[in-house]
Amino acid sequence: MESVESIETFYRSKLNWMPDNLKKELGHFNVFKLEDFAGRKCSAHNRKEYYKISLIRGRNRYEYADKVIETDKNALIFSHPQVPYHYDVPDEEHDGYFCIFTEAFFQQFGASRLHEYPVMKPGGQPIYVLSDEQFEKVQGIFDKMLREIASDFAYKYDVLRTCVFELMHEAIRLQPAATLYTNTNAATRISSLFMELLERQFPVESPIQQMRLRSATDFANQLSVHVNHLNKALKETTGRTTSQLISERILQEARSLLKHTDWNISEVGWSLGFEELPHFINFFKKNTAVSPSVFRKSID
């Protein structure tokens, strides 16, 4: 797995300073002009722990998962924390903006709504080409964010959340730049995104933390593909079905939790998405030929 760039790493490497409120607020949001980053090196092709929305005017090369997108036009780009990405600006003839935010920034104000938007799903299209008129409209939203974040308005973060939804709405109205993709293998890309989603749920670190994605349908919905298409892609690239891959990873985590924690078996099962204890016991026994309790005793 790729290393993940944290919010702290972003500020240290790009700006050489750290916001005073970075750890004090619920979630984090900030917005910048690209001109403030002129001459600074782009980050590596990896995942970030934050979302990023960029508005760029000029040539750029965007690497997203296993896709490469090159454009010399105005572009609105949505970068997801579960997908590795990187972009280069080949020359100095560019300008624009970007904002970064964590999922926790929306936690009390509709985090689930955020995931409903196609542009905020890891399987969605990340880049949209804008006309000059569309660029100016989106630029107005970013300018508004810059004014709000510099203000003393008590509810400015609510306004900023609304601005993020405005950016998503504008993108949904547009045709994604699908024709710009090169070096794309659909099955490989879908498989890569699936594995990223699956691994992001582990390790389970608390008995009150429960897996959110448990079935093939859950993953297909998150990736905005039909479940049969997901199964076909995974079968082609791994030789196994979606359900087999999910079960294998859950079993691996179950063994680890039974071996390395003192959680009771009910807590282990619940954290892995089994609402009823007998279902977890039957799953474990079916795949290991022993019950969870017998497995735990065998390693004592």
Side-chain angles (χ1 to χ4, degrees):
M1 301 294 289
E2 302 92 344
S3 60
V4 181
E5 179 181 293
S6 67
I7 286 279
E8 292 85 355
T9 299
F10 166 81
Y11 280 104
R12 282 196 298 265
S13 63
K14 302 294 191 305
L15 297 170
N16 295 320
W17 61 273
M18 198 77 65
D20 294 335
N21 59 2
L22 189 58
K23 294 297 186 180
K24 297 177 183 178
E25 294 180 339
L26 178 62
H28 181 72
F29 179 94
N30 213 338
V31 59
F32 307 91
K33 286 187 175 183
L34 277 177
E35 64 187 45
D36 296 332
F37 291 78
R40 289 189 171 92
K41 185 179 179 181
C42 296
S43 58
H45 182 82
N46 60 4
R47 290 190 291 115
K48 283 72 173 171
E49 70 173 14
Y50 49 86
Y51 292 84
K52 182 177 182 181
I53 304 177
S54 307
L55 177 65
I56 299 177
R57 176 161 47 198
R59 289 198 305 145
N60 69 87
R61 174 187 170 91
Y62 187 63
E63 300 174 9
Y64 187 83
D66 66 337
K67 296 180 292 188
V68 178
I69 310 162
E70 294 185 354
T71 177
D72 57 0
K73 303 177 180 179
N74 309 322
L76 180 61
I77 303 171
F78 292 81
S79 304
H80 195 284
Q82 291 175 348
V83 182
Y85 67 88
H86 165 74
Y87 67 79
D88 283 317
V89 179
D91 53 45
E92 298 300 322
E93 298 298 322
H94 76 281
D95 62 357
Y97 308 76
F98 70 90
C99 65
I100 60 173
F101 55 92
T102 60
E103 184 170 323
F105 182 67
F106 284 88
Q107 200 62 49
Q108 294 181 341
F109 301 88
S112 59
R113 282 188 61 210
L114 191 69
H115 300 146
E116 293 172 2
Y117 286 82
V119 296
M120 284 303 181
K121 291 185 177 181
Q125 303 290 6
I127 188 166
Y128 298 79
V129 172
L130 310 180
S131 66
D132 290 339
E133 182 180 354
Q134 291 166 335
F135 182 94
E136 289 180 6
K137 186 174 183 180
V138 175
Q139 182 181 33
I141 299 174
F142 274 97
D143 284 335
K144 182 179 180 180
M145 290 193 291
L146 285 168
R147 291 193 302 270
E148 287 296 335
I149 204 164
S151 75
D152 295 325
F153 183 45
Y155 299 98
K156 67 180 181 181
Y157 288 111
D158 290 343
V159 176
L160 290 166
R161 292 182 185 95
T162 301
C163 288
V164 172
F165 281 112
E166 283 188 62
L167 290 173
M168 293 189 290
H169 292 155
E170 288 301 321
I172 291 170
R173 292 190 179 102
L174 301 169
Q175 178 67 33
T179 57
L180 300 174
Y181 295 125
T182 60
N183 303 333
T184 301
N185 180 304
T188 300
R189 183 175 78 81
I190 291 172
S191 298
S192 174
L193 294 174
F194 167 81
M195 295 307 297
E196 287 283 347
L197 277 177
L198 181 61
E199 287 298 329
R200 287 274 285 178
Q201 298 188 101
F202 303 104
V204 178
E205 297 177 333
S206 166
I208 63 172
Q209 172 191 344
Q210 189 178 46
M211 285 182 61
R212 186 168 58 87
L213 304 176
R214 280 279 283 106
S215 69
T217 301
D218 291 338
F219 282 91
N221 289 339
Q222 187 71 10
L223 292 169
S224 301
V225 298
H226 192 279
V227 66
N228 292 341
H229 187 47
L230 175 60
N231 273 320
K232 182 180 178 181
L234 291 173
K235 192 73 174 177
E236 178 182 326
T237 56
T238 71
R240 300 194 292 282
T241 66
T242 311
S243 296
Q244 287 174 327
L245 290 166
I246 295 170
S247 294
E248 289 170 8
R249 188 61 182 87
I250 290 175
L251 184 63
Q252 178 185 339
E253 190 69 9
R255 286 194 176 107
S256 177
L257 293 173
L258 289 168
K259 182 177 181 180
H260 299 293
T261 74
D262 59 359
W263 306 353
N264 63 49
I265 292 172
S266 180
E267 289 174 326
V268 172
W270 188 88
S271 71
L272 295 173
F274 296 89
E275 299 290 344
E276 303 293 336
L277 178 59
H279 294 165
F280 174 58
I281 294 174
N282 290 338
F283 165 81
F284 195 89
K285 194 169 184 178
K286 178 182 177 181
N287 288 280
T288 66
V290 297
S291 68
S293 58
V294 170
F295 175 82
R296 176 168 270 175
K297 288 177 181 177
S298 71
I299 57 178
D300 286 342

